[in-house]
Amino acid sequence: MTPDLQSLAQLLEAGLDPSQLKQAELAILQEEKKPGFSVCLLQIVATEAFKKQIRLSSALYFKNFIKRNWTDEEGNYKLPQNEVAAIKHELIGLMISVPPSIQAQLGEAIGVIADSDFWQRWDTLDLVARLAPDSPVTNNGVLQVAHSIFKRWRPLYRSDELYTEINHVLSKFGAPFLSLLESTDSLIERNKANQTELQQVFTTMNLIMKLFYDLSSQDLPPIFEDNLPAITSILHKYLTYDNPLLHTDHESEAGSLEFVKAGIFEILVLYVQKYEDAFGAHVGQFISSSWNLLTTIGPETKYDILTSRSLQFLTSVTRIQQHAQGFNDESTLSQVVEKVILPNLSLRDSDIEMFEDEPIEFIRRDLEGSDSDTRRRAATNFLRQLMEQFEETVTNVVLKYVDHYLAEYSRNPTSNWKSKDTAVFLYSSIAAKGAVTAIQGVKSTNQFVNLIDFFKSNVANDLVSDSGVEPILKVDAIKYLYTFRSQMSREQWRDAFPLLVKHLGSSNYVVYSYAAIAIERVLALADEAHRPIINQGDVAPLSKDLLEHLFHLIEKDPAPEKIQENEFLMRCVMRVLIVIRDDVVPYTDNVLAHFVTITQLISSNPSNPRFYYYHFEALGAFIRFAAPSQPEKLETSLYPPFASILQNEVSEFTPYVFQLFAALLEANPSASLSEYYQSLITPILAVEVWVSKGNVPALVRLLSSIIPRGATEIATNNQIEPILGIFQQLVSTRTNEIYAFELLECIISSFPPATLEKYYVPILQMLLTRLQNSKTETFTLRFVRFYHFVSAKDDKGLGVDFFINIVDQIQSGVFVPLYLTIILPDTQKLARPLDRKTAVISLTKTLTDSSAFAEKYKKGWGFTCEALLKLLENPPVPAASDDLIVDQDVDDMSFGVGFTQLTTIKKPARDQWPDVTDVKKWVGEYLKTADSRHKGKVAGYVQERLSPEAREVLLSYMRN
């Protein structure tokens, strides 16, 4: 039965009310199961009689529905064919007719569809026929669709398939696109006095700039190269274009004129970086225009993105020696610093307002490595690029300005504090060279400056003084230490670290936040020998007060969204716990109480993925170091908030909670399973909980932790089959195949062979079917690893003969081709040392203890020995036990999409044979012992079945 439009619209409206949200979502989930659900969402979007908020909500739900339900991992449609066809038919027309806010949501859905279908299954280039030279409204919808599809190319690596797609697009779209550029230029001329029409046409021009970048992002299109003089003429025209009708009244609101110019600069940067040989002749006019723009543009924030892009263009130009030479004299560089760098480095009133009124936004924009298009960052990058070309000259020029601003500050520190901010920022900009890394900050510095002397003379006092220093100057001082942290010695840091800790007590939000940022990064800093600069012993005496103060700052405002606002404070909590390790144990009660409180508060309304990621990482570190000595206390306190998260289906948190439940159990030295965990088994075996992709790795981890401790209860409660049902579900998909093998190996390790006897044939049948019908390289290697896992465990009632017997029950004789074409050759592809070690043990036991290889597969015995010797040429050396916690770069993480691993509780790879340390020695000793046990038969096989070369190598192992 098709959903009723009016009822569905009411549910979408209810979902806009936080008090009805959960109930509405559950009801909509039921509607999803009805045929034609997605088309009904589009019909609501298209119906102007519905409120705009409902239409937007419907578009948003449609986008998310398409993301989840368009295709499976094999590329097959999950929706009925008639629904797929209806969606494709409706979408393009809708994009042309709906408001921009709805277009944005539908555009993302089009991008998802294009990822799987464009262009072979959905050639939307009939779009060309919809373009109308005199209808900007229609054109804007068409171009928005095109941009939604073509922007996918920007980050992709080149491939034949990608270039075939782009060439197909260019063959149909290239010429009409250039014609549209010309006609839009004419329309702008015709409507230069008509504000409404002009705004629409400039929106078209903005979309044309985006598409121009899309179409050029991989390679220079031949049609663009052939028309480059005409194209650059239009680009230059609109880079210098002005019309008062396009100006915005608000100081912070950029308009279409600014966006078009910023888009042109983005194109110029791409062409200078990738196509300079074709574009180089046209660059000069743009350098002059960007200089004119930068020396005349106002300080208003609405011009920030345009100013930043212009500076990015000059930075890219300066990387090319022939263009850089235009700046190569002291007079010119002085002009650049005075007219371009300084105006964009200096604090503006809007920056100070943000510092005071939106402190967290100020921090995020100001931090090195932020992707914000700030003037300061762009000006700094331009200055550093000039310095790379002319280091000494630039340094001399800039230091004169630094001295000037410091002198100005000295004359009246109270009134002229902004001058000192400019001086410190300017000095930092030229002191740093190369990339600034997340771990070490600045790794290379300017040889013509002295960082430590400048700090002592001009910066340190702002850290030491308790009063009379502007908060922004304190932030500058903290940031100086943060930026140049790897340039300071251990001794210097021992003096500076307490000053940072002191500033956590500041009443200013930005000051204490930056102190937390600097403390966290310094605690993560290590020397070349991987020894921490600030070690556990340095921090432990301060840790109780340090943690208590950080928690106080986090919990200052108990509203869920305010607690989560400042991820930098929680990241600092995480780092302190990682550094002090088990020194947290004496403070367990206090720390635990804070974690429980915060978890309960934020679970009611998760709003900042970075905050709650660091929260759960910190909680993971706490569990890792505090739980082994008091597991019951942590289980008792953490079970209620964790269980509440699962019961209330807080989907953002459930993968984290499953990981933390597993870590709690693994940290408990008892081999038994508490009532808490026994009560978890039935809920985590429910099929619904495995539907979310993000849950699967965490659930497998948790189940793999429960099974060895609860094997008896699981067998008694007839829960083996449901667990194997989960294995069957996981092994059928490429996404989850590795987790299927993890679960299977845990099952086989935990239950006696007799308990699993009736399941081995169907298990192997599933694996062999996947190998035959839809194997992947990952699946094949995991299968080979699984074979060696079983083969090596002959002391547990398994072994190679056991495996052969199961395979023969499925199909007699199938083991030989399986062994010769998959297992033996792919054994050499195993990369992880522990996997290779398992293979060595498996192959050795095959040579010594397999009746089938001794009597039936005599040639196979020789092949096995050759494979073993090949592995031993580069013997696996499992890594030494290492409890180092490796940072993840949150900028590279997609929070809320799939699974996020908690590194503080990452499960170490388990060595099934820890006593085997020197594999060559073990192989020789095992062969000798087995030969004795079998009364010389092994030595006989060596003589009969091996080539002279292989025989000599193997005997050398047995003699040593």
Side-chain angles (χ1 to χ4, degrees):
M1 177 178 159
T2 304
D4 173 63
L5 282 194
Q6 195 63 45
S7 301
L8 184 54
Q10 288 172 354
L11 290 174
L12 290 166
E13 186 172 25
L16 300 173
D17 178 356
S19 65
Q20 301 182 64
L21 175 61
K22 185 63 71 175
Q23 190 176 352
E25 283 182 341
L26 292 173
I28 294 172
L29 280 174
Q30 293 306 310
E31 294 293 310
E32 273 191 22
K33 298 173 184 175
K34 297 178 181 178
F37 170 75
S38 59
V39 177
C40 288
L41 290 174
L42 288 180
Q43 287 172 345
I44 291 173
V45 171
T47 306
E48 293 186 9
F50 289 118
K51 294 177 186 174
K52 187 176 178 182
Q53 300 98 306
I54 296 174
R55 295 172 68 197
L56 180 59
S57 176
S58 190
L60 179 63
Y61 208 97
F62 174 79
K63 174 192 73 175
N64 292 329
F65 178 82
I66 292 299
K67 284 181 177 179
R68 296 193 311 270
N69 296 292
W70 189 250
T71 56
D72 61 22
E73 60 185 10
E74 305 289 341
N76 302 311
Y77 293 124
K78 294 166 75 171
L79 299 173
Q81 190 61 46
N82 63 334
E83 196 166 338
V84 168
I87 289 169
K88 291 179 178 179
H89 181 262
E90 294 289 331
L91 261 181
I92 306 300
L94 264 182
M95 280 291 285
I96 293 170
S97 63
V98 296
S101 58
I102 295 176
Q103 275 185 348
Q105 302 303 326
L106 296 182
E108 285 192 50
I110 287 171
V112 172
I113 294 170
D115 270 338
S116 94
D117 288 22
F118 189 80
W119 52 283
Q120 287 88 343
R121 297 198 295 190
W122 190 37
D123 191 348
T124 59
L125 292 173
D126 56 351
L127 287 171
V128 171
R130 295 176 183 257
L131 290 171
D134 296 321
S135 177
V137 174
T138 300
N139 291 340
N140 292 346
V142 172
L143 295 178
Q144 192 68 57
V145 173
H147 178 53
S148 298
I149 297 170
F150 305 157
K151 70 181 179 182
R152 298 159 33 253
W153 301 334
R154 294 189 181 197
L156 299 180
Y157 292 109
R158 67 181 299 160
S159 67
D160 291 345
E161 185 181 0
L162 174 61
Y163 274 54
T164 300
E165 180 179 317
I166 294 173
N167 287 333
H168 169 75
V169 168
L170 288 168
S171 69
K172 292 191 172 186
F173 191 72
F177 175 73
L178 289 183
S179 296
L180 182 66
L181 175 61
E182 290 181 16
S183 63
T184 303
D185 175 37
S186 299
L187 265 182
I188 290 172
E189 284 298 318
R190 290 210 304 269
N191 290 283
K192 60 186 177 184
N194 184 333
Q195 186 173 27
T196 304
E197 284 297 314
L198 188 63
Q199 289 284 7
Q200 285 284 2
V201 185
F202 248 79
T203 299
T204 307
M205 186 61 83
N206 186 31
L207 285 165
I208 288 173
M209 293 305 117
K210 290 179 180 180
L211 279 160
F212 194 93
Y213 191 103
D214 296 338
L215 295 166
S216 306
S217 60
Q218 288 290 330
D219 203 354
L220 177 57
I223 192 170
F224 289 1
E225 187 171 7
D226 292 343
N227 292 277
L228 210 48
I231 291 170
T232 54
S233 175
I234 291 179
L235 292 179
H236 189 259
K237 174 180 177 179
Y238 287 100
L239 192 65
T240 55
Y241 184 87
D242 194 22
N243 188 323
L245 296 180
L246 294 171
H247 294 180
T248 59
D249 296 330
H250 202 284
E251 286 192 359
S252 62
E253 184 185 339
S256 53
L257 180 62
E258 287 76 43
F259 287 127
V260 166
K261 291 185 178 186
I264 292 170
F265 274 123
E266 196 173 15
I267 291 165
L268 296 177
V269 170
L270 175 71
Y271 271 61
V272 167
Q273 289 176 344
K274 293 190 71 169
Y275 315 124
E276 208 275 332
D277 53 341
F279 186 65
H282 304 280
V283 169
Q285 59 185 327
F286 292 105
I287 295 175
S288 300
S289 298
S290 60
W291 175 264
N292 291 336
L293 184 149
L294 286 167
T295 53
T296 56
I297 200 164
E300 295 85 358
T301 54
K302 66 181 176 182
Y303 299 126
D304 283 4
I305 187 169
L306 176 54
T307 304
S308 299
R309 294 279 172 81
S310 179
L311 285 163
Q312 288 165 17
F313 167 65
L314 288 180
T315 303
S316 64
V317 164
T318 312
R319 289 193 180 100
I320 300 167
Q321 191 64 34
Q322 68 185 76
H323 299 310
Q325 286 305 315
F327 299 100
N328 189 15
D329 72 78
E330 194 163 319
S331 173
T332 303
L333 286 169
S334 293
Q335 291 284 305
V336 169
V337 172
E338 189 166 319
K339 294 187 176 179
V340 173
I341 302 296
L342 286 171
N344 292 299
L345 276 183
S346 302
L347 278 175
R348 298 170 296 172
D349 290 344
S350 58
D351 298 321
I352 297 169
E353 284 173 18
M354 181 177 284
F355 183 94
E356 294 168 349
D357 301 336
E358 299 178 81
I360 193 67
E361 185 62 25
F362 178 91
I363 295 165
R364 289 180 183 142
R365 288 192 183 192
D366 187 56
L367 267 179
E368 188 77 50
S370 161
D371 60 0
S372 300
D373 281 316
T374 66
R375 294 187 184 221
R376 273 195 153 187
R377 179 158 300 105
T380 299
N381 291 340
F382 179 38
L383 183 58
R384 286 179 180 168
Q385 187 57 50
L386 285 169
M387 198 183 71
E388 274 194 30
Q389 297 283 9
F390 322 112
E391 184 171 354
E392 188 172 4
T393 310
V394 170
T395 303
N396 292 335
V397 168
V398 168
L399 287 179
K400 290 176 185 175
Y401 287 97
V402 170
D403 291 341
H404 164 76
Y405 282 106
L406 287 174
E408 201 169 81
Y409 167 75
S410 297
R411 282 196 291 274
N412 191 338
T414 304
S415 301
N416 297 340
W417 64 267
K418 287 185 190 176
S419 296
K420 184 170 184 182
D421 170 81
T422 301
V424 173
F425 202 98
L426 196 55
Y427 189 88
S428 299
S429 297
I430 61 159
K433 288 180 64 177
V436 181
T437 67
I439 297 294
Q440 294 178 299
V442 171
K443 294 176 68 177
S444 178
T445 59
N446 183 339
Q447 63 177 314
F448 300 107
V449 301
N450 190 314
L451 285 168
I452 303 302
D453 283 355
F454 185 83
F455 176 75
K456 289 177 180 176
S457 303
N458 301 293
V459 180
N461 189 59
D462 293 337
L463 274 179
V464 175
S465 297
D466 292 324
S467 60
V469 179
E470 278 289 329
I472 287 183
L473 294 184
K474 282 197 173 292
V475 170
D476 289 342
I478 295 169
K479 191 179 176 188
Y480 192 93
L481 291 177
Y482 161 80
T483 303
F484 297 108
R485 57 190 178 272
S486 63
Q487 302 301 314
M488 294 172 62
S489 68
R490 183 177 275 103
E491 292 69 30
Q492 288 166 337
W493 264 121
R494 286 200 176 123
D495 293 336
F497 188 73
L499 294 174
L500 292 179
V501 173
K502 184 185 81 169
H503 281 83
L504 283 176
S506 170
S507 59
N508 184 278
Y509 189 104
V510 181
V511 172
Y512 69 65
S513 297
Y514 245 116
I517 291 165
I519 289 168
E520 189 278 329
R521 286 292 79 194
V522 174
L523 291 180
L525 195 61
D527 62 18
E528 292 180 357
H530 304 294
R531 294 171 304 194
I533 297 298
I534 307 287
N535 59 38
Q536 183 177 354
D538 297 327
V539 182
L542 309 169
S543 59
K544 181 182 179 183
D545 293 338
L546 187 53
L547 287 168
E548 193 61 37
H549 194 70
L550 285 164
F551 280 125
H552 168 72
L553 291 172
I554 291 167
E555 297 170 15
K556 195 187 296 187
D557 186 333
E561 64 277 7
K562 292 302 289 183
I563 278 187
Q564 297 170 79
E565 179 182 73
N566 195 328
E567 66 266 22
F568 306 109
L569 296 175
M570 185 53 79
R571 187 178 189 181
C572 192
V573 170
M574 174 198 77
R575 184 65 55 196
V576 171
L577 289 168
I578 288 172
V579 170
I580 67 172
R581 305 174 73 84
D582 52 6
D583 280 327
V584 75
V585 171
Y587 326 129
T588 294
D589 290 349
N590 281 348
V591 174
L592 186 55
H594 286 297
F595 275 128
V596 169
T597 298
I598 293 170
T599 303
Q600 289 171 331
L601 288 169
I602 67 175
S603 63
S604 67
N605 181 24
S607 58
N608 182 352
R610 291 178 181 231
F611 179 92
Y612 56 72
Y613 164 72
Y614 287 127
H615 170 70
F616 289 119
E617 282 283 23
L619 191 42
F622 178 61
I623 288 170
R624 175 172 174 167
F625 299 121
S629 61
Q630 40 204 327
E632 291 80 12
K633 177 182 287 186
L634 268 68
E635 281 183 20
T636 303
S637 297
L638 291 171
Y639 186 85
F642 286 179
S644 174
I645 286 167
L646 300 182
Q647 287 162 5
N648 293 320
E649 298 181 358
V650 185
S651 58
E652 298 93 335
F653 288 4
T654 48
Y656 294 125
V657 166
F658 289 136
Q659 290 178 76
L660 292 167
F661 263 136
L664 266 174
L665 182 56
E666 291 156 6
N668 192 331
S670 164
S672 61
L673 204 61
S674 70
E675 289 182 13
Y676 292 129
Y677 285 94
Q678 289 182 37
S679 69
L680 274 178
I681 296 174
T682 300
I684 66 172
L685 293 181
V687 174
E688 312 83 66
V689 81
W690 293 82
V691 171
S692 169
K693 290 179 182 178
N695 285 348
V696 170
L699 281 167
V700 169
R701 163 94 179 266
L702 177 55
L703 202 48
S704 299
S705 301
I706 288 173
I707 289 171
R709 296 170 186 246
T712 303
E713 292 93 335
I714 289 168
T716 303
N717 296 329
N718 298 316
Q719 290 172 316
I720 292 177
E721 285 195 13
I723 293 173
L724 287 171
I726 289 167
F727 159 74
Q728 182 178 9
Q729 178 185 333
L730 298 179
V731 84
S732 66
T733 65
R734 296 184 181 192
T735 308
N736 295 321
E737 58 196 16
I738 59 171
Y739 306 114
F741 278 107
E742 284 180 20
L743 185 57
L744 180 59
E745 289 176 8
C746 175
I747 294 166
I748 289 174
S749 294
S750 303
F751 295 100
T755 305
L756 300 174
E757 186 176 2
K758 63 179 179 180
Y759 304 116
Y760 278 115
V761 169
I763 287 171
L764 261 295
Q765 202 153 21
M766 274 185 259
L767 298 180
L768 294 178
T769 301
R770 267 292 314 265
L771 269 180
Q772 184 175 7
N773 296 335
S774 57
K775 71 176 180 181
T776 62
E777 183 161 355
T778 300
F779 182 90
T780 304
L781 290 175
R782 287 307 297 246
F783 176 83
V784 170
R785 168 180 149 166
F786 171 71
Y787 164 81
H788 288 304
F789 173 83
V790 173
S791 169
K793 284 187 168 289
D794 58 343
D795 56 330
K796 304 293 184 185
L798 303 173
V800 65
D801 289 346
F802 172 86
F803 189 94
I804 292 169
N805 178 48
I806 300 297
V807 171
D808 279 347
Q809 290 180 54
I810 297 169
Q811 183 180 336
S812 179
V814 79
F815 177 75
V816 172
L818 179 68
Y819 192 70
L820 294 179
T821 62
I822 293 178
I823 294 172
L824 275 188
D826 282 30
T827 292
Q828 305 302 328
K829 297 178 184 176
L830 294 173
R832 296 196 324 165
L834 287 176
D835 294 347
R836 293 173 68 83
K837 179 179 175 180
T838 302
V840 166
I841 293 169
S842 158
L843 296 175
T844 304
K845 290 186 173 182
T846 300
L847 297 178
T848 58
D849 299 310
S850 167
S851 300
F853 276 82
E855 299 162 10
K856 189 176 179 182
Y857 305 129
K858 296 180 180 180
K859 282 187 179 179
W861 195 97
F863 296 146
T864 300
C865 187
E866 289 170 6
L868 172 63
L869 295 177
K870 197 166 184 181
L871 279 177
L872 292 176
E873 286 174 8
N874 182 20
V877 181
S881 177
D882 187 359
D883 59 0
L884 185 69
I885 296 171
V886 179
D887 272 8
Q888 292 197 79
D889 186 349
V890 293
D891 292 326
D892 293 338
M893 296 165 69
S894 301
F895 295 110
V897 180
F899 170 71
T900 302
Q901 169 79 56
L902 294 176
T903 59
T904 52
I905 51 168
K906 187 175 182 180
K907 192 174 184 179
R910 185 186 166 203
D911 189 348
Q912 302 275 347
W913 293 272
D915 296 336
V916 179
T917 52
D918 183 336
V919 291
K920 284 188 175 182
K921 184 178 178 183
W922 179 86
V923 168
E925 291 175 352
Y926 198 87
L927 288 169
K928 278 193 290 187
T929 305
D931 187 49
S932 174
R933 190 168 70 245
H934 294 301
K935 299 183 171 41
K937 284 187 177 180
V938 175
Y941 299 152
V942 171
Q943 295 297 328
E944 297 165 11
R945 301 177 182 180
L946 295 181
S947 66
E949 296 83 4
R951 184 188 311 139
E952 183 55 37
V953 175
L954 193 65
L955 288 173
S956 71
Y957 291 136
M958 295 176 70
R959 286 194 292 266
N960 289 339

